[in-house]
Amino acid sequence: MSMHDPLKPLFDVEEMEISFGPQHPATHGVLRVQIKLDGERIMEAKPIIGYLHRGTEKLFETMAFPACIPHTDRMDYVTSATNNQGFCVAMEKLLGLTIPPRAAYIRMILAELQRLASHLVWLATHAIDIGAITPFFYTFRERDAILDLFEEYCGARLTLNTMRIGGVPFELPEGWLDRCSAFIEAFPKHIEEYETLLTENRIWKKRTIGIGVIPAEEAIEMGMTGPPLRGSGVEWDIRKVFPYDRYDEIEFDIPTGKNCDTYDRYLVRMEEMRQSVRIIRQCIEKIPDGPIMAKAPKVLRAKEGMVYASVESPKGELGYFIVATEKGTTPYRCRVRPPSFVNLQALPQLVEGALVADLVAVIGTLDIVLGEIDR
Amino acid sequence: MPEAVLNLLLIPLIKIVVLLGVVLLIVAYLTYAERKILAYMQVRLGPNRVGPKGWLQPIADGLKLFVKEDLIPGGAERFVFLLAPGLIMVPALLMFAVIPFGEPFKVGGRTITPYLADVNIAILLLLGISSIGVFGIILGGWSSNSKFSLMGGLRSAAQMISYEIPMGFAVVSVLMMAGTLSLVGIVEAQRQAHIWFVLPGILAFGIYWICGVAETNRNPFDLPEAEAELVAGFHTEYSGMKFALFFLAEYANMMVISALATVMFFGGWLPPFPNLLAGLWASPVLAWIPGVVWFAAKMGFFLFCYIWFRGTFPRYRFDQLMAVGWKWLLPLSLANVMLVGVLMLWWKG
């Protein structure tokens, strides 16, 4: 009788292939991740996208410039105001328009409120993925207050369509700034409330520290932006490096992490919320009187040329690359650089060799929105 | 002859019916309590539509599950798939047979014990029965022919087996203090010792309670049904009444763990400090409180803790869970047995 070769396993061991999504409670929309598992360990993960593709970029080519704005709402539907802002900033650069200061300040208030709303959704889903269900309800309570402010301003809560090329469409309703200010002053206490549930929680720390580590150089090579990049210690924020609207008149800090892991990205986003509060507070103090729209012709006609402009969306650098023909009223081509799409690239690297539960934590920490990835 | 029929058949039969009815009712309203308490922790209202303040919600839920189409997935192993819910539900209910809810009382000159049986190996019996429940989970997960279910089942089996060991050792230290395996005996021992066993056995209680939460697959140890990773874990493919059985079994197990914590560490049906405050408990007002009320209050507190945990904690990762079980709880529980032994030697001289 021959001895069993000790180097060979007794049984045939096969990798288990699991299709994680597109309908799965933790994949945030319609992301599908094909994973190969050895027990609980992930050997390979491959994100598959395209389940929400609506051809937005192609649609832009058929629409007059201002008509594109509502379609930008539907890309990253969690932060529609920032999407509007990105498109408008790019168009203004193309047309050579300068927007009045009051419009710029209104835009910044809206964009920062939207950043808060987006980070609240991120915190809610991230926590619920890791098993803490209660923060979800707390964050959505505050998000609802923000959406109320939006509704009062422009009538919509989710797809806001709240900016125009050359300014903003509406004057602020009477008393809106006071209500916004009241919310902002109460908000830091709520952040502390979330933090009591999570920041020093041993299980939360165990689940996030050292998970999904990506060093700064690799993050830059991947093209990552936003909190995932800042979590790796790179001080990079479009609002600071290429200021748009009036961000150069506002004081704020860029929070960065040290350990490049999920916990640091969590801390970065929590601090970003505090910074947003700081920005809105300054905006409310400094907001000047004046017109809210630049003088622009009724029908916008571009000169031949191309332009790239980007804004700091809550997820990272949101860029619009617009090509226009002489006297054209529609974009000849409009390419969007969605931060989620680029950040998602890092997923296979972040989860290789990790456990299934970490995959969920990493998807949460990248804060992706599939509407933006697939467009 | 009629005496024997009464003693051996009728009274036990009535007891069984009452016990089953009460247990299932409590289980049903435990789901209601969980939803309400969680709701208030999470700034919302919880069920409030069916009946006054939503009181009839559990009944509506039960009816819904009962009339729902009973699906069996195409690739499932039919027999095992049908067997699994029963395999988990029956042991869960069986365990209530030996749990003493109160002290014996007299009805028409006849002494009635508010428990079905006082078995002299009750603890061993409970540990044995509870481990049968694992079969239900692992077979249910395997027979569904779904990868998520299989992973949930495997996780659960590993988890329950590894947490049963420290739990067993925690129980051993109680047995050493009580000197008996009978649950009624353990309560009596606490009366005679003038002290609840939680005070000398605080460590054992901590270990027992952590393991108990892990045994019932509840947050923060709810990995087998970690919805974010495994959709619904081992019962992903179950629907209708079969799903309800898994659900009921989970809550019945929670009750058993809470009841056992009450019996072993918190003096069962005894009021707090039974001897120290004996005068107070003998006062005309308080003497009327039956033991069952004390028992229910203590058990209710532990059930509340379950819900409280769920509202507060994130979930452990699988390897971390195993590390907690084997690297912390097991050595700690062994050391605790040692400690209790030394203490007892010292006490008794």
Side-chain angles (χ1 to χ4, degrees):
Chain A
M1 207 180 124
S2 66
M3 286 286 286
H4 177 75
D5 179 3
L7 291 178
K8 258 176 39 192
L10 268 171
F11 309 100
D12 281 342
V13 181
E14 259 182 71
E15 282 175 348
M16 181 154 69
E17 254 187 68
I18 285 189
S19 191
F20 216 70
Q23 290 170 3
H24 187 284
T27 53
H28 295 204
V30 288
L31 173 66
R32 176 175 168 209
V33 189
Q34 243 179 2
I35 46 177
K36 283 194 181 135
L37 286 180
D38 174 17
E40 291 256 342
R41 206 160 282 283
I42 298 170
M43 308 308 285
E44 196 190 321
K46 202 167 101 188
I48 297 171
I49 58 173
Y51 291 95
L52 203 56
H53 182 65
R54 291 152 298 178
T56 308
E57 286 180 5
K58 189 71 188 167
L59 276 175
F60 282 159
E61 294 169 17
T62 67
M63 281 180 289
F65 293 120
C68 295
I69 298 171
H71 286 264
T72 62
D73 282 341
R74 283 146 183 88
M75 289 196 300
D76 182 348
Y77 39 79
V78 182
T79 63
S80 51
T82 329
N83 294 351
N84 299 159
Q85 195 182 20
F87 186 78
C88 294
V89 166
M91 279 310 297
E92 281 146 14
K93 200 168 165 190
L94 180 74
L95 299 169
L97 284 173
T98 338
I99 66 165
R102 186 172 174 84
Y105 272 88
I106 294 176
R107 273 189 189 182
M108 285 194 293
I109 294 175
L110 291 171
E112 293 306 317
L113 280 175
Q114 187 75 81
R115 189 182 314 279
L116 289 179
S118 167
H119 278 2
L120 289 177
V121 173
W122 155 77
L123 180 62
T125 49
H126 190 33
I128 218 166
D129 284 349
I130 295 185
I133 50 176
T134 303
F136 187 94
F137 297 94
Y138 292 173
T139 56
F140 268 61
R141 177 186 58 194
E142 271 72 70
R143 179 171 178 265
D144 244 33
I146 295 175
L147 297 191
D148 284 344
L149 286 173
F150 284 148
E151 191 180 7
E152 202 185 338
Y153 177 66
C154 64
R157 292 171 73 86
L158 191 70
T159 47
L160 301 174
N161 185 20
T162 181
M163 292 174 197
R164 298 289 181 270
I165 300 161
V168 288
F170 313 111
E171 184 49 68
L172 294 173
E174 212 169 299
W176 192 87
L177 278 179
D178 298 333
R179 285 187 283 282
C180 180
S181 178
F183 172 76
I184 285 307
E185 294 313 319
F187 192 71
K189 269 199 209 96
H190 294 306
I191 300 181
E192 273 167 36
E193 199 178 3
Y194 316 143
E195 289 211 286
T196 51
L197 276 170
L198 298 175
T199 306
E200 288 301 319
N201 187 315
R202 290 171 59 100
I203 304 177
W204 178 260
K205 278 180 147 176
K206 267 195 162 179
R207 287 296 306 275
T208 52
I209 291 178
I211 306 300
V213 177
I214 186 156
E217 304 86 59
E218 285 175 39
I220 294 171
E221 274 171 26
M222 282 275 177
M224 288 167 87
T225 47
L229 179 66
R230 291 193 282 272
S232 296
V234 183
E235 228 181 279
W236 180 265
D237 189 318
I238 306 293
R239 290 174 293 178
K240 275 268 199 245
V241 288
F242 304 116
Y244 49 94
D245 289 342
R246 296 287 167 126
Y247 275 110
D248 44 351
E249 296 172 5
I250 303 287
E251 263 180 44
F252 63 97
D253 302 325
I254 309 175
T256 52
K258 273 202 296 268
N259 305 322
C260 323
D261 59 6
T262 303
Y263 187 68
D264 275 24
R265 289 189 280 268
Y266 158 79
L267 291 179
V268 162
R269 286 196 178 95
M270 295 311 268
E271 184 54 33
E272 265 179 33
M273 286 203 252
R274 294 205 172 89
Q275 294 299 328
S276 285
V277 168
R278 208 172 138 198
I279 295 173
I280 299 173
R281 199 178 285 148
Q282 291 177 51
C283 286
I284 292 174
E285 267 171 33
K286 287 187 176 178
I287 189 164
D289 287 330
I292 51 165
M293 274 295 278
K295 287 211 173 68
K298 268 233 160 93
V299 178
L300 296 170
R301 284 181 193 283
K303 286 195 284 283
E304 191 179 331
M306 44 186 144
V307 67
Y308 176 80
S310 58
V311 295
E312 183 71 25
S313 115
K315 271 104 187 161
E317 176 181 352
L318 171 68
Y320 286 84
F321 179 69
I322 302 171
V323 183
T325 51
E326 186 66 35
K327 298 225 162 158
T329 53
T330 64
Y332 176 75
R333 172 82 172 91
C334 177
R335 148 83 188 160
V336 184
R337 181 213 187 271
S340 300
F341 178 74
V342 183
N343 291 348
L344 180 66
Q345 284 192 104
L347 181 78
Q349 189 186 336
L350 288 177
V351 298
E352 208 186 278
L355 300 169
V356 189
D358 295 334
L359 172 66
V360 177
V362 167
I363 292 176
T365 188
L366 288 177
D367 191 16
I368 48 169
V369 164
L370 269 290
E372 180 178 66
I373 292 173
D374 293 340
R375 298 189 294 290
Chain B
M1 203 56 185
E3 186 68 5
V5 170
L6 194 66
N7 273 339
L8 294 177
L9 203 65
L10 208 57
I11 291 180
L13 217 58
I14 293 171
K15 275 190 198 166
I16 290 173
V17 170
V18 169
L19 192 63
L20 272 183
V22 169
V23 165
L24 288 178
L25 198 73
I26 294 180
V27 164
Y29 276 89
L30 190 55
T31 65
Y32 174 80
E34 169 156 34
R35 292 168 70 176
K36 269 293 190 201
I37 294 170
L38 267 186
Y40 284 123
M41 284 177 182
Q42 297 171 341
V43 289
R44 51 196 179 90
L45 291 175
N48 64 350
R49 281 290 171 269
V50 192
K53 300 216 175 237
W55 272 102
L56 297 177
Q57 186 68 43
I59 296 168
D61 287 344
L63 266 180
K64 184 205 88 174
L65 287 168
F66 196 71
V67 297
K68 223 175 166 185
E69 186 188 353
D70 202 21
L71 282 174
I72 298 178
E77 191 75 30
R78 278 187 76 92
F79 176 68
V80 184
F81 189 78
L82 291 171
L83 184 69
L87 263 183
I88 190 166
M89 188 66 196
V90 172
L93 289 179
L94 206 56
M95 284 192 273
F96 285 97
V98 293
I99 292 173
F101 293 97
E103 49 200 337
F105 54 94
K106 282 193 191 292
V107 178
R110 192 179 297 279
T111 308
I112 307 273
T113 50
Y115 39 83
L116 210 56
D118 176 17
V119 190
N120 58 359
I121 51 153
I123 295 268
L124 283 184
L125 189 75
L126 283 176
L127 287 177
I129 296 174
S130 76
S131 48
I132 293 176
V134 186
F135 285 105
I137 289 178
I138 195 168
L139 288 179
W142 171 77
S143 66
S144 302
N145 195 27
S146 149
K147 287 167 183 169
F148 290 116
S149 300
L150 180 63
M151 279 182 69
L154 287 176
R155 275 183 177 190
S156 181
Q159 173 178 336
M160 290 174 91
I161 289 166
S162 36
Y163 274 79
E164 233 156 57
I165 300 165
M167 189 183 196
F169 281 117
V171 171
V172 162
S173 62
V174 174
L175 302 185
M176 284 160 64
M177 289 187 273
T180 170
L181 283 163
S182 145
L183 290 175
V184 180
I186 289 175
V187 176
E188 286 303 326
Q190 292 182 66
R191 191 206 295 278
Q192 276 153 29
H194 297 202
I195 196 169
W196 287 357
F197 282 161
V198 67
L199 293 174
I202 183 81
L203 194 60
F205 170 69
I207 295 165
Y208 169 81
W209 181 241
I210 293 173
C211 294
V213 175
E215 280 271 294
T216 39
N217 299 330
R218 293 281 300 185
N219 203 299
F221 305 104
D222 59 340
L223 293 128
E225 40 198 295
E227 64 204 13
E229 299 141 36
L230 302 181
V231 190
F234 60 88
H235 58 55
T236 305
E237 302 291 342
Y238 280 92
S239 61
M241 209 52 214
K242 292 204 287 294
F243 165 74
L245 286 182
F246 278 115
F247 203 71
L248 292 178
E250 181 180 323
Y251 283 83
N253 279 327
M254 278 160 64
M255 279 176 68
V256 171
I257 294 289
S258 306
L260 272 182
T262 309
V263 168
M264 291 196 303
F265 296 99
F266 287 84
W269 62 82
L270 302 177
F273 302 104
N275 299 72
L276 211 62
L277 300 176
L280 179 65
W281 303 127
S283 71
V285 185
L286 293 171
W288 272 97
I289 301 176
V292 147
V293 171
W294 290 114
F295 191 91
K298 292 169 194 170
M299 198 168 105
F301 172 73
F302 291 120
L303 289 174
F304 172 76
C305 283
Y306 266 115
I307 298 164
W308 192 10
F309 288 172
R310 188 170 167 210
T312 312
F313 290 132
R315 185 185 300 120
Y316 268 114
R317 206 174 61 195
F318 189 62
D319 59 327
Q320 292 165 349
L321 176 93
M322 285 294 156
V324 171
W326 291 101
K327 288 188 189 160
W328 287 99
L329 292 179
L330 183 60
L332 211 60
S333 62
L334 280 170
N336 180 55
V337 170
M338 195 69 187
L339 187 76
V340 171
V342 170
L343 274 179
M344 284 177 63
L345 270 181
W346 174 66
W347 200 301
K348 290 179 179 162

